[in-house]
């Protein structure tokens, strides 16, 4: 019996009315103007900068996740009939959630980094063009000169992570097996587009392959997936010198990009990332938005742009291009010019 | 319709946090200053509020919604009240039960909505987070930096306070 003279529904509508009233009691947003102190602005600029870096890392993570798992696939009647599939040991669960299908997992991923995988068989003309790997996931992007493309993704089944499949209208779903492992095939009818998701329950890894290629080719690729690295990784650079107190805090390795973040005390951080330009302009990758000034400096024999802020609490950024390796480097830190230069000049191949 | 999501995002895109910061910092200051009546303290509260918002960015779904506006005002109010409590020598319970936070009108329903609006800030906040925003007890514990048990008790006490407020007002449901 409810001990209160109101139901949750009463509370929901009353709380929304109270919140609206609270907001209406404030002046219009444009009329609430306050000139914040320089100390506040400086602290918040630092917070924003740090969040920008976190956000970049999340975007890269999401990018990998998208590369691995996200595709827009058809939405068949099967979903309403079979909206909930559970593996025999509850290692993973497939559910329809609103307008998409979610695969969720039970249990934690192993501590060891995931191995790299690739498809040993490819349809004629399809070539691997990019590869990424992080601690618990990785992916390979394949392209055909005439526009076909395909992704292979793999990730640890890790509680708290989900794999999403976003359906469109005309999809046929089929429950099957890939090399004896439980699998779902999502095939677009009337055109070539197919995704297969399969679970290696022994290894605790979810795989998926999807692209605008025929179902038979997707299945053939899936059956050929094996451990190994399909593309050469960018060489690994490391900071041989950092101010005291910094520790490596993770990064991404890949065929076209690598990154590494080092965290110091408090808000301090050093972020290093570098891209293989591969014919693309440098501005596709790096654009500095907020800085007091820019000066030309030298990192080794290479010209570099140092974007600096006179406020000691804001980040400085150093960008340079090594034309011998076709790699552009980007170093960001809340450190002064001399320290930035020392970090950059201390970078070396591992 | 089939398409892979384009992977590269604009370098110029502001983070959600920056958008929140630019849009609501003045309103958050206004709310905090109503309580603290001191520029330095109000700015400190706003800064603390943004640090709290960062930790819970996954709970904010859109920058421009009324829910988000309400959320950031609640957080600014909470941080302002926390600041007073931390700097004073108050019994937390006595102080919180006498602190009504931002100045607000009642919705005028003559019932539960008005009673919520007249509650001490800590009870109003937790009821709004739960029933206007739909956050779970666990999410509220994360937002208010409380243990799960403390958040559960706070929600319960808020309902008791609301019942008492309704009794006091003789409000009809």
């Amino acid at each position: 019996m409810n001990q209160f003279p109101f139901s949750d529904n009463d509370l929901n509508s009353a709380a929304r009315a109270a919140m609206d009233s609270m907001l209406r009691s404030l002046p219009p947003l444009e009329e609430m103007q306050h000139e914040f102190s320089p100390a506040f602005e400086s602290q918040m600029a630092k917070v924003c900068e740090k969040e920008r870096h976190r956000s970049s890392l999340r975007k890269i993570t999401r990018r990998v996740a998208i590369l691995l798992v996200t595709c827009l696939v058809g939405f068949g009647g099967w979903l309403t009939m079979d909206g909930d599939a559970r593996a025999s040991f509850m290692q993973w669960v497939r559910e329809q959630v609103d307008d998409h299908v979610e695969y969720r997992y039970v249990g934690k991923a192993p501590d060891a980094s995931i191995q790299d995988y690739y498809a040993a068989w490819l349809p004629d003309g399809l070539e691997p063009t990019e590869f990424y790997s992080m601690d618990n996931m990785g992916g390979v992007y394949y392209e055909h000169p005439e526009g076909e493309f395909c992704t292979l993704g793999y990730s640890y089944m890790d509680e708290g992570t989900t794999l999403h499949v976003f359906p469109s209208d005309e999809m046929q779903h089929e429950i099957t097996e890939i090399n004896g492992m439980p699998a779902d095939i999502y095939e677009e009818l009337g055109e070539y587009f197919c995704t297969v998701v399969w679970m290696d329950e022994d290894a605790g890894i979810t795989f998926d392959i999807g692209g605008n290629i025929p179902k038979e080719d997707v299945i053939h690729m899936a059956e050929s997936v094996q451990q190994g690295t399909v593309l050469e990784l960018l060489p690994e650079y490391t900071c041989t010198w950092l101010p005291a107190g910094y520790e490596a805090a993770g990064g991404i390795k890949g065929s076209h990009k690598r990154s590494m973040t080092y965290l110091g005390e408090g808000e301090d951080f050093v972020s290093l990332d570098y891209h293989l330009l591969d014919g693309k302009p440098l501005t596709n990758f790096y654009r500095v938005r907020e800085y007091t000034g820019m000066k030309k400096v030298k990192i080794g024999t290479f010209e570099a742009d140092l974007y600096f802020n006179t406020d000691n609490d804001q980040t400085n950024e150093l960008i340079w291009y090594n034309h011998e390796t076709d790699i552009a480097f980007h170093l960001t830190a809340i450190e002064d010019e001399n320290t930035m230069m020392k970090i950059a000049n201390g970078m070396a191949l591992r | 319709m089939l398409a892979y999501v384009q992977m590269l995002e604009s370098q110029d895109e502001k983070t959600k946090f920056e958008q929140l910061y630019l849009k609501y910092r003045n309103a958050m200051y206004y709310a905090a200053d109503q309580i603290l009546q001191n520029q330095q303290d109000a700015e400190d509260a706003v800064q603390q509020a943004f640090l709290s918002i960062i930790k819970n960015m996954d709970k904010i779904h859109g920058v421009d919604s009324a829910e988000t506006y309400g959320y950031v005002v609640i957080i600014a109010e909470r941080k302002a009240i926390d600041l007073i409590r931390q700097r004073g020598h108050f019994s937390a319970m006595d102080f919180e039960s006498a602190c009504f936070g931002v100045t607000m009108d009642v919705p005028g329903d003559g019932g539960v909505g008005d009673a919520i609006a007249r509650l001490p800030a800590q009870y109003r906040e937790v009821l709004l987070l739960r029933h206007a925003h739909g956050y779970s007890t666990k999410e509220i514990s994360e937002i208010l930096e409380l243990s799960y048990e403390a958040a559960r008790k706070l929600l319960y006490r808020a309902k008791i306070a609301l019942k008492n407020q309704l009794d006091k007002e003789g409000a009809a449901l």
Side-chain angles (χ1 to χ4, degrees):
Chain A
M1 180 181 166
N2 187 359
Q3 68 180 105
F4 300 109
F6 38 77
S7 66
D8 273 0
N9 279 342
D10 293 335
L11 279 177
N12 293 345
S13 55
R16 281 193 286 271
M19 189 180 77
D20 289 345
S21 188
M22 179 180 79
L23 296 179
R24 278 198 309 273
S25 302
L26 296 168
L29 275 174
E30 60 276 11
E31 289 180 16
M32 288 184 280
Q33 295 298 325
H34 168 68
E35 189 169 332
F36 286 93
S37 65
F40 174 90
E41 296 279 16
S42 166
Q43 284 298 317
M44 288 307 301
K46 198 168 149 184
V47 171
C48 284
E49 182 66 26
K50 192 163 185 184
E51 178 57 17
R52 208 172 293 145
H53 280 274
R54 283 200 196 101
S55 177
S56 298
L57 192 59
R58 280 198 297 269
K59 281 177 186 171
I60 291 163
T61 306
R62 195 169 71 223
R63 176 184 175 182
V64 173
I66 288 166
L67 182 71
L68 301 180
V69 301
T70 303
C71 49
L72 303 177
V73 295
F75 190 78
W78 68 273
L79 285 172
T80 52
M81 299 168 63
D82 178 20
D84 185 299
R86 293 167 193 277
S88 52
F89 299 104
M90 284 293 290
Q91 195 173 2
W92 57 275
V93 178
R94 175 194 350 101
E95 282 186 316
Q96 181 189 340
V97 179
D98 298 328
D99 62 345
H100 63 276
V101 182
E102 280 188 16
Y103 293 83
R104 289 185 279 111
Y105 310 105
V106 177
K108 299 304 291 178
D111 289 334
S113 295
I114 200 165
Q115 298 289 314
D116 299 331
Y117 289 86
Y118 72 103
W121 180 89
L122 294 174
D124 284 346
L126 207 65
E127 295 287 343
T129 54
E130 197 163 348
F131 158 71
Y132 280 100
S133 181
M134 298 172 71
D135 281 349
N136 59 357
M137 61 173 66
V140 185
Y141 193 68
Y142 299 90
E143 288 178 284
H144 190 283
E146 294 181 3
E148 292 174 329
F149 64 91
C150 185
T151 63
L152 159 67
Y154 45 91
S155 58
Y156 276 137
M157 297 179 189
D158 191 7
E159 198 167 300
T161 65
T162 55
L163 181 156
H164 290 188
V165 177
F166 292 92
S168 61
D169 291 335
E170 295 180 0
M171 170 57 62
Q172 190 167 68
H173 171 247
E174 180 185 340
I175 295 173
T176 184
E177 291 185 345
I178 297 292
N179 297 334
M181 294 177 275
D184 293 324
I185 294 177
Y186 303 86
E187 185 187 13
E188 180 83 11
L189 299 176
E191 60 180 289
Y192 286 145
F193 197 95
C194 183
T195 290
V196 58
V197 177
W198 74 102
M199 308 290 171
D200 184 338
E201 294 173 335
D202 292 337
I205 296 173
T206 299
F207 292 89
D208 71 276
I209 290 182
N212 57 352
I213 58 175
K215 173 182 166 185
E216 295 71 26
D217 287 351
V218 170
I219 292 173
H220 200 163
M221 281 180 70
E223 289 170 340
S224 76
V225 167
Q226 58 186 256
Q227 280 187 14
T229 305
V230 67
L231 288 171
E232 193 175 343
L233 284 170
L234 271 187
E236 183 180 2
Y237 288 85
T238 186
C239 296
T240 61
W241 181 88
L242 284 166
Y246 280 95
E247 289 185 5
I252 298 170
K253 63 178 183 176
S255 58
H256 287 63
K257 170 177 174 145
R258 293 187 80 129
S259 71
M260 175 60 77
T261 299
Y262 303 87
L263 296 179
E265 291 177 4
E267 303 286 314
D268 293 342
F269 70 93
V270 171
S271 167
L272 168 68
D273 60 277
Y274 47 99
H275 277 91
L276 184 67
L277 293 196
D278 211 11
K280 299 184 181 74
L282 183 59
T283 49
N284 273 20
F285 301 95
Y286 302 123
R287 203 172 301 160
V288 181
R289 293 189 309 165
E290 294 171 10
Y291 56 95
T292 310
M294 190 273 280
K295 66 193 284 189
K296 296 283 184 188
V297 294
K298 286 262 187 187
I299 302 299
T301 58
F302 303 107
E303 282 201 345
D305 295 335
L306 173 67
Y307 296 87
F308 59 91
N309 281 289
T310 48
D311 185 334
N312 288 337
D313 286 336
Q314 291 190 31
T315 56
N316 294 322
E317 300 185 45
L318 194 53
I319 295 171
W320 70 100
Y321 172 60
N322 181 332
H323 52 80
E324 294 168 1
T325 58
D326 195 27
I327 294 174
F329 295 87
H330 178 217
L331 180 69
T332 306
I334 307 179
E335 297 290 350
D336 62 28
E337 177 182 342
N338 287 339
T339 307
M340 297 279 292
M341 298 291 291
K342 199 168 172 184
I343 295 170
N345 279 306
M347 278 179 46
L349 280 170
R350 186 183 284 273
Chain B
M1 175 66 185
L2 300 165
Y4 273 81
V5 176
Q6 284 298 312
M7 294 181 291
L8 282 178
E9 299 192 44
S10 165
Q11 297 281 334
D12 284 338
E13 185 186 350
K14 282 191 168 57
T15 63
K16 185 163 73 176
F17 176 77
E18 286 174 285
Q19 294 175 53
L20 287 169
Y21 172 64
L22 294 171
K23 188 172 179 95
Y24 296 119
R25 61 180 179 166
N26 288 311
M28 291 167 71
Y29 175 84
Y30 184 92
D33 191 51
Q34 269 196 346
I35 296 162
L36 294 160
Q37 300 285 305
N38 175 286
Q39 174 177 345
Q40 178 64 52
D41 289 349
E43 289 188 354
D44 285 351
V46 172
Q47 192 178 336
Q48 290 303 313
F50 275 116
L51 293 176
S52 165
I53 287 167
I54 277 186
K55 287 183 196 163
N56 292 286
M57 285 299 285
D58 59 325
K59 299 179 182 68
I60 296 175
H61 299 298
V63 172
D64 296 322
S65 67
E67 284 75 16
T68 299
Y69 186 15
Y71 177 86
V72 300
V73 169
I74 288 172
I75 300 303
E77 176 186 63
R78 175 55 18 210
K79 291 301 174 187
I81 294 171
D82 285 349
L83 202 60
I84 294 180
R85 202 184 61 234
Q86 288 158 12
R87 290 181 179 176
H89 302 284
F90 306 106
S91 147
M93 188 71 86
D94 291 346
F95 173 72
E96 288 284 7
S97 60
C99 184
F100 289 83
V102 294
T103 306
M104 64 178 285
D105 299 328
V106 297
D109 64 0
V112 182
D114 288 359
I116 290 174
R118 291 190 177 110
L119 286 175
Q122 67 164 347
Y123 296 143
R124 170 173 44 79
E125 288 163 2
V126 75
L127 287 175
L128 294 190
L129 289 171
R130 177 54 164 267
H131 293 284
H133 293 267
Y135 291 123
S136 67
T137 307
K138 180 172 181 296
E139 288 172 319
I140 290 170
S141 72
E142 291 164 356
I143 291 166
L144 297 179
E145 298 174 50
L146 300 170
S147 67
Y148 178 85
E149 189 59 19
R152 195 180 65 77
K153 284 179 181 168
L154 182 60
L155 269 166
Y156 181 73
R157 288 205 306 269
K159 286 187 178 180
I160 297 280
L162 180 60
K163 178 176 178 292
N164 293 340
Q165 183 69 28
L166 286 164
D167 289 344
K168 191 169 131 188
E169 294 179 6
L173 289 175

